[in-house]
Amino acid sequence: MRTVIFDLDGTLADTSGDLLAAANTCFEGLGMAVRLKPETDAGVALRGGRAMLSLGIERETGLAADPELLNAQYQPLLRAYEQAIDVHTRLYDGAMNAVEQLRTDGFKVGICTNKPEYLAEILMTKLGVRDAFGSLIGADTLPVRKPDPEPFFEAVRRAGGDVKRSCLIGDTITDHKTARAAGVPSVLVTFGPGATAGQADIRALRPDALLDHFVDLPAMATKLLGP
């Protein structure tokens, strides 16, 4: 079965607002004045919790963040995020229409994300779209995470697909490296925070395709994977 696997953050949904809010909760708890803002810091939000904490602490203190402080604040950040995971998060326009069209066209679909699995499950359920995907592999589902190709392979397998006829839709160099390691087509979106923060870099990666609008995805997937 032809299979399309999606990254989550910055690909299917803009999750940056809620991620940044969780980091800001930590800064407030530490008595820091610094706050990360969606209009300037959305890209770093998609690099993970420790990246957000590091940026805020460095802005506040002018010094590199202490690794022990980062470790101490990581779980509080995850708890804050879980408690307000879908306040600002929005699926990208056309994303679910594209997913449903792929399914209608006979594709299997799944998710491979570097978000912890339980948080990805909570988010997709709250957004009301979890049942549309045949698989969901998170950062901690397996002993390894992207860009190791094994989580991608597992996402394809659990979706009921064939790795030889699969592709990965993502928004960052991590997704591109994952696709290359897996030996499958790499499709990078041009509209997410991870992409728009470094458009030249995204294009310089020379993925197999660039996706400007989700309306184009079903035809693009058929072109890449065959009828």
Side-chain angles (χ1 to χ4, degrees):
M1 295 293 293
R2 296 173 300 169
T3 308
V4 176
I5 300 298
F6 295 85
D7 173 53
L8 174 50
D9 300 75
T11 299
L12 283 172
D14 184 353
T15 56
S16 58
D18 291 319
L19 289 164
L20 292 171
N24 288 337
T25 297
C26 292
F27 302 141
E28 183 178 3
L30 291 168
M32 294 182 174
V34 66
R35 298 291 185 270
L36 302 183
K37 300 177 181 180
E39 56 267 30
T40 56
D41 302 316
V44 74
L46 304 186
R47 287 165 41 203
R50 287 184 173 81
M52 291 187 295
L53 291 170
S54 293
L55 177 61
I57 292 169
E58 288 171 12
R59 283 182 181 171
E60 176 81 8
T61 66
L63 301 172
D66 181 355
E68 291 188 6
L69 179 58
L70 292 180
N71 290 335
Q73 289 298 309
Y74 187 65
Q75 289 303 320
L77 184 149
L78 294 183
R79 288 195 295 270
Y81 181 56
E82 180 181 354
Q83 291 167 7
I85 199 169
D86 64 337
V87 176
H88 306 290
T89 291
R90 298 291 182 271
L91 291 159
Y92 286 113
D93 289 345
M96 293 313 299
N97 288 339
V99 169
E100 292 303 328
Q101 186 61 55
L102 286 168
R103 295 174 67 191
T104 297
D105 293 345
F107 288 83
K108 299 294 187 180
V109 294
I111 294 171
C112 183
T113 175
N114 274 350
K115 184 190 291 295
E117 181 183 348
Y118 80 98
L119 290 175
E121 289 281 3
I122 290 171
L123 177 58
M124 297 305 285
T125 299
K126 283 184 173 289
L127 293 176
V129 298
R130 175 61 183 90
D131 290 344
F133 297 89
S135 64
L136 192 161
I137 302 298
D140 51 356
T141 306
L142 303 178
V144 293
R145 59 191 290 175
K146 296 186 296 185
D148 190 290
E150 189 55 38
F152 171 82
F153 294 149
E154 187 66 10
V156 174
R157 287 192 288 261
R158 293 192 188 185
D162 180 358
V163 170
K164 294 179 180 178
R165 301 192 73 193
S166 66
C167 65
L168 176 59
I169 317 298
D171 69 316
T172 66
I173 190 172
T174 298
D175 297 308
H176 181 70
K177 286 182 175 180
T178 303
R180 288 291 179 256
V184 303
S186 166
V187 178
L188 296 180
V189 303
T190 62
F191 46 78
T196 56
Q199 279 282 4
D201 292 339
I202 288 294
R203 296 178 187 280
L205 293 174
R206 300 179 66 83
D208 296 278
L210 289 165
L211 182 64
D212 297 323
H213 305 285
F214 268 114
V215 68
D216 299 324
L217 181 56
M220 183 180 292
T222 296
K223 181 178 180 181
L224 289 171
L225 302 179

